[in-house]
């Protein structure tokens, strides 16, 4: 399993209800379903990924979370998950608010734009960073709202959202001893668990 | 050497089942005795857990797949999806498809003889509801030794039957596949149905539904009904692509009698062809069943509450250019299932063909449908 999903799954209680926004091929939900008797739904818009979910037996709903999540009732899920998609939605703040309206807690992962490699790239080359991890150029990237650890935590503070857990990992989702020292500089991927 | 494609169920013979126990109907009347015509494809396994029920739409019937004879040119109406290796794989599933009561393809309907009078039912045939059909289908399942369907599947009016199955007999199906359908008709839907019915009822040959006694059929009315229906099955784009404003004879005639545009010619052909093979009373009855379908009515319009007793897993699919039952209508079903905390998957398939798309081999649709059906567990 993808390393960030491996971390996330530990935060999800057995037999709970999980909504996975931008669930991709349904890997997390499939695992939770098989190993934790979790009742989960994934939201996805990519037809190939939806097909993969159906093949795996994952309940998947074709819906663009960027348009609206109004069809999900308040407090109808235990956890609402969104991995590597916060930076790709039009209104990340609204999605975050929605996640905490629908679920008791929200689990998010996103790339940290303040990582030293990004800073170096931008600082030295004066151009938007392109890497293996984020292989897009500025004009065709789905990632339209990059943020940093500090930015995200600022948003949480402004909206009175409590950070329950924070993990900082590198691009292979390994947690290195040094990234804890200076997360905004050294962490490549942020994994957050937040609540109201 | 078979002359049929390798993925066809091949030659099929309709079967007939008579029932003598009266069937109580939603309208308050009952059918004292009746017959259902059905076809089956594949074989029922020893555990009896691989049966799939196919529910037909407005003008459909029991002939869903395969051919009735070597000469038959067109296979059953859902041959794109039923057969060995197809979405509903007859190597795995035992498929049952029947003609609904009130139909005009063999099951007891308005043109059948009423045993009470010795004459055709005609206008006196009771109005049927989706619920009535599901009840009659359950009785056929009993006769066939099918305690629980692996899946009940249908598109359009057939999708409504699939949903009704999940509501009426929660323990008797494991999966419900409802395609291009709606939880109830909109005022616009009912309006189109009413135009179709008025076309039939006001035909001078209709004779209040007892046209058979006069030796005529309300052909013109039926043709008009089908024409208006047909328009709603296609999308503006697909019609434009197929016909555009193309003329039949490169010139305008400045009159009202000649068929000038290709689309006029097409609609007239479809209407005429239909009026020759379909019964007017059945058309009235089927459109009424559509209008009346509203399972949430029993729960003050709360669809989620209606779905609370569901045990089946659901697959809901819609098509982007379907305006008869638009994706938004399918999403109403999905949202209610989510609110009722039921397992559901929903796909909105990009397709240009409008409502008719559910009958066509659209790759993404067929692929998802196949994947879903393949995951349904059945005994070897």
């Amino acid at each position: 399993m993808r390393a960030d999903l491996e971390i996330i799954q530990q935060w999800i209680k057995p037999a709970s209800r999980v909504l996975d926004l931008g669930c991709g091929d349904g890997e997390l939900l499939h695992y939770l379903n098989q190993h934790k008797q979790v009742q989960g739904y994934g939201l996805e818009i990519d037809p190939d990924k939806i097909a993969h979910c159906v093949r795996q037996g994952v309940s998947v709903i074709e819906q663009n979370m960027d348009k609206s999540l109004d069809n999900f009732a308040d407090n109808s899920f235990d956890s609402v998950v969104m991995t590597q998609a916060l930076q790709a939605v039009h209104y990340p703040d609204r999605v975050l608010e929605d996640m905490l309206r629908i679920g008791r807690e929200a689990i998010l992962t996103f790339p940290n734009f303040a990582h030293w490699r990004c800073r170096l790239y931008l600082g030295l080359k004066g151009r938007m960073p392109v890497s293996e991890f984020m292989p897009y150029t500025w004009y065709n990237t789905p990632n339209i709202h990059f943020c940093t650890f500090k930015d995200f935590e600022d948003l949480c503070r402004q909206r009175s959202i409590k950070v329950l857990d924070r993990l900082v990992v590198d691009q292979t989702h390994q947690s290195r001893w040094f990234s804890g020292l200076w997360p905004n500089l050294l962490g490549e991927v942020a994994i957050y668990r937040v609540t109201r | 050497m078979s002359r049929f494609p390798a993925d066809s169920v091949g030659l099929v013979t309709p079967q007939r089942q008579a029932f003598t126990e009266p069937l109580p109907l939603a309208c308050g009347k009952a059918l004292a005795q009746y017959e259902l015509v059905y076809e089956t494809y594949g074989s029922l396994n020893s555990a009896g857990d691989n049966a799939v029920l196919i529910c037909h739409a407005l003008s459909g019937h029991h002939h869903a797949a395969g051919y009735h004879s070597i000469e038959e040119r067109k296979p059953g109406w859902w041959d794109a999806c039923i057969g060995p290796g197809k979405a509903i794989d007859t190597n795995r599933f035992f498929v049952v498809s029947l003609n609904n009561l009130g139909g005009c393809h063999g099951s007891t309907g308005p043109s059948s003889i009423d045993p009470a009078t010795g004459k055709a039912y005609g206008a006196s045939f009771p109005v049927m509801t989706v619920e009535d059909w599901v009840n009659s289908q359950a009785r056929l399942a009993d006769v066939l030794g099918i305690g629980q369907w692996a899946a009940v599947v249908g598109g359009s009016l057939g999708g409504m039957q699939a949903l009704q199955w999940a509501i009426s007999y929660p323990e008797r199906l494991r999966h419900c596949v409802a395609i291009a359908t709606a939880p109830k008709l909109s005022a616009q839907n009912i309006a189109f149905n009413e135009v179709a019915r008025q076309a039939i009822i006001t035909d001078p040959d209709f004779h209040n539904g007892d046209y058979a006694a006069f030796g005529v059929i309300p052909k013109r009315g039926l043709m008009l009904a089908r024409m208006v229906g047909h328009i709603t099955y296609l999308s503006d784009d697909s019609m434009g692509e197929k016909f555009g404003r193309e003329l039949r004879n490169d010139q305008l005639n400045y009159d009202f009698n000649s068929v000038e545009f290709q689309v006029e010619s097409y609609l007239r052909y479809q209407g005429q062809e239909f009026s020759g093979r379909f019964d007017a009373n059945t058309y009235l009855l089927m459109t009424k069943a559509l209008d009346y379908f509203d399972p949430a009515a029993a729960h003050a319009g709360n669809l989620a509450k209606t779905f609370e007793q569901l045990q089946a897993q659901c697959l809901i699919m819609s098509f982007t250019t379907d305006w008869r039952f638009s994706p938004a209508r399918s999403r109403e079903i999905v949202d209610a299932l989510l609110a009722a905390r039921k397992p559901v998957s929903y796909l909105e398939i990009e397709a240009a063909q409008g409502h008719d798309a559910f009958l066509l081999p659209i790759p993404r649709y067929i692929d998802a449908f196949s994947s879903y059906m393949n995951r349904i567990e059945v005994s070897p």
Side-chain angles (χ1 to χ4, degrees):
Chain A
M1 187 157 53
R2 225 169 72 195
D4 57 338
L5 304 182
E6 180 63 49
I7 293 164
I8 288 169
Q9 67 84 12
Q10 298 168 24
W11 288 340
I12 290 174
K13 288 188 188 71
S16 60
R17 280 171 54 81
V18 174
L19 179 64
D20 189 351
L21 305 178
C23 69
D25 60 11
E27 191 181 7
L28 177 68
L29 288 172
H30 183 64
Y31 178 89
L32 292 172
N33 195 286
Q34 298 290 307
H35 296 91
K36 292 194 161 182
Q37 290 75 50
V38 158
Q39 194 199 9
Y41 303 93
L43 254 56
E44 185 51 62
I45 50 171
D46 182 323
D48 291 335
K49 289 174 178 165
I50 291 170
H52 200 273
C53 288
V54 173
R55 269 197 295 280
Q56 293 227 63
V58 166
S59 291
V60 63
I61 311 290
E62 184 160 351
Q63 183 178 336
N64 189 343
M65 61 168 154
D66 220 4
K67 285 194 177 146
S68 168
L69 289 167
D70 289 352
N71 55 326
F72 291 96
D74 297 0
N75 303 312
S76 51
F77 286 85
D78 296 302
S79 310
V80 182
V81 176
M82 184 166 69
T83 58
Q84 298 293 336
L86 185 72
Q87 75 280 3
V89 297
H90 279 95
Y91 302 101
D93 57 331
R94 286 194 210 164
V95 173
L96 181 63
E97 297 268 6
D98 258 339
M99 289 173 80
L100 288 171
R101 172 183 66 77
I102 298 164
R104 232 171 5 88
E105 59 181 43
I107 299 169
L108 303 97
T109 78
F110 57 88
N112 175 29
F113 206 65
H115 181 256
W116 66 268
R117 233 191 288 255
C118 283
R119 296 191 195 197
L120 199 66
Y121 200 106
L122 194 57
L124 289 181
K125 297 195 183 182
R127 303 180 61 182
M128 288 299 281
V130 176
S131 67
E132 210 177 312
F133 181 54
M134 292 187 287
Y136 306 99
T137 40
W138 64 273
Y139 52 85
N140 68 1
T141 179
N143 303 321
I144 52 175
H145 278 124
F146 274 124
C147 69
T148 74
F149 280 71
K150 279 187 178 168
D151 291 327
F152 181 75
E153 291 190 13
D154 262 357
L155 177 65
C156 289
R157 253 191 307 277
Q158 283 168 25
R159 307 290 168 105
S160 311
I161 293 166
K162 281 195 282 288
V163 174
L164 295 173
D165 284 296
R166 181 184 77 175
L167 271 172
V168 179
V169 294
D170 69 12
Q171 54 176 283
T172 58
H173 300 98
Q174 303 294 314
S175 185
R176 300 276 175 80
W177 64 270
F178 53 80
S179 52
L181 293 178
W182 203 345
N184 206 34
L185 183 66
L186 300 174
E188 273 188 292
V189 177
I191 307 180
Y192 276 90
R193 189 162 72 99
V194 300
T195 191
R196 273 279 168 217
Chain B
M1 180 66 192
S2 169
R3 299 166 58 149
F4 304 119
D7 62 354
S8 167
V9 297
L11 214 52
V12 291
T13 310
Q15 297 165 74
R16 179 174 289 277
Q17 180 65 46
F19 297 83
T20 50
E21 192 194 332
L23 182 73
L25 304 171
C27 65
K29 296 179 190 163
L31 272 181
Q33 55 190 62
Y34 56 95
E35 290 185 342
L36 290 175
V37 168
Y38 67 98
E39 289 181 7
T40 67
Y41 324 111
S43 48
L44 189 63
N45 63 15
S46 52
D49 66 1
N50 70 333
V52 171
L53 176 68
I54 309 294
C55 303
H56 70 71
L58 185 66
S59 61
H61 44 71
H62 53 280
H63 186 38
Y67 301 82
H68 283 161
S69 71
I70 308 266
E71 292 77 38
E72 197 172 49
R73 223 162 29 87
K74 270 173 73 179
W77 59 270
W78 219 11
D79 201 72
C81 290
I82 304 166
K86 290 184 185 171
I88 301 169
D89 189 347
T90 48
N91 290 326
R92 295 184 73 223
F93 294 116
F94 174 60
V95 180
V96 179
S97 176
L98 76 164
N99 183 210
N100 283 334
L101 284 173
C104 55
H105 291 93
S107 291
T108 301
S111 46
S112 309
I113 301 297
D114 179 356
T117 63
K119 284 189 281 191
Y121 282 99
S124 72
F125 195 85
V127 170
M128 305 290 300
T129 65
V130 170
E131 244 174 310
D132 296 332
W133 284 333
V134 166
N135 291 335
S136 71
Q137 291 161 3
R139 289 192 179 177
L140 180 66
D142 293 340
V143 171
L144 295 174
I146 296 158
Q148 183 190 62
W149 301 99
V152 178
V153 183
S156 195
L157 177 57
M160 294 173 178
Q161 292 164 60
L163 290 173
Q164 188 64 54
W165 258 98
I167 296 163
S168 294
Y169 298 96
E171 71 294 341
R172 290 197 72 171
L173 67 160
R174 300 199 295 284
H175 294 268
C176 169
V177 180
I179 308 163
T181 193
K184 61 171 185 277
L185 294 204
S186 66
Q188 190 195 46
N189 293 146
I190 295 172
F192 275 118
N193 283 346
E194 176 58 8
V195 172
R197 281 192 296 266
Q198 284 302 319
I200 292 171
I201 290 167
T202 57
D203 185 312
D205 284 338
F206 183 64
H207 297 291
N208 290 319
D210 289 323
Y211 42 86
F214 292 81
V216 290
I217 48 171
K219 246 188 130 164
R220 267 168 303 171
L222 199 50
M223 174 179 149
L224 285 176
R226 183 59 170 184
M227 282 168 79
V228 73
H230 210 91
I231 295 168
T232 68
Y233 304 149
L234 306 177
S235 68
D236 194 11
D237 282 350
S238 63
M239 266 196 173
E241 204 174 297
K242 221 168 173 174
F243 309 107
R245 293 178 50 88
E246 204 181 311
L247 297 172
R248 290 185 77 201
N249 305 311
D250 291 333
Q251 58 169 31
L252 301 177
N253 295 317
Y254 300 98
D255 69 15
F256 302 110
N257 298 320
S258 42
V259 181
E260 297 181 291
F261 293 95
Q262 287 292 5
V263 66
E264 295 174 321
S265 157
Y266 171 79
L267 280 180
R268 286 192 197 194
Y269 171 79
Q270 290 291 339
Q272 256 152 13
E273 198 261 343
F274 186 75
S275 67
R277 67 178 160 84
F278 209 82
D279 179 62
N281 280 322
T282 292
Y283 204 82
L284 297 179
L285 193 141
M286 296 278 168
T287 55
K288 266 291 170 195
L290 271 168
D291 292 0
Y292 286 163
F293 181 69
D294 183 10
H299 293 95
N302 187 337
L303 194 58
K305 187 125 189 75
T306 312
F307 286 152
E308 255 170 27
Q309 71 255 38
L310 248 67
Q311 292 179 28
Q313 295 187 39
C314 297
L315 172 65
I316 312 294
M317 290 189 278
S318 70
F319 300 92
T320 49
T321 54
D322 184 350
W323 59 282
R324 189 179 177 94
F325 296 138
S326 70
R329 307 311 312 282
S330 283
R331 278 201 303 267
E332 289 175 36
I333 300 169
V334 174
D335 289 346
L337 286 166
L338 287 169
R341 307 191 161 202
K342 302 299 171 188
V344 53
S345 283
Y346 169 63
L347 278 80
E348 194 172 306
I349 312 283
E350 185 91 40
Q353 299 90 338
H355 187 59
D356 268 354
F358 86 88
L359 296 166
L360 302 172
I362 294 156
R364 187 183 167 213
Y365 161 51
I366 302 294
D367 179 53
F369 195 4
S370 304
S371 301
Y372 188 87
M373 294 303 292
N374 274 330
R375 280 197 59 88
I376 295 178
E377 284 176 26
V378 297
S379 301

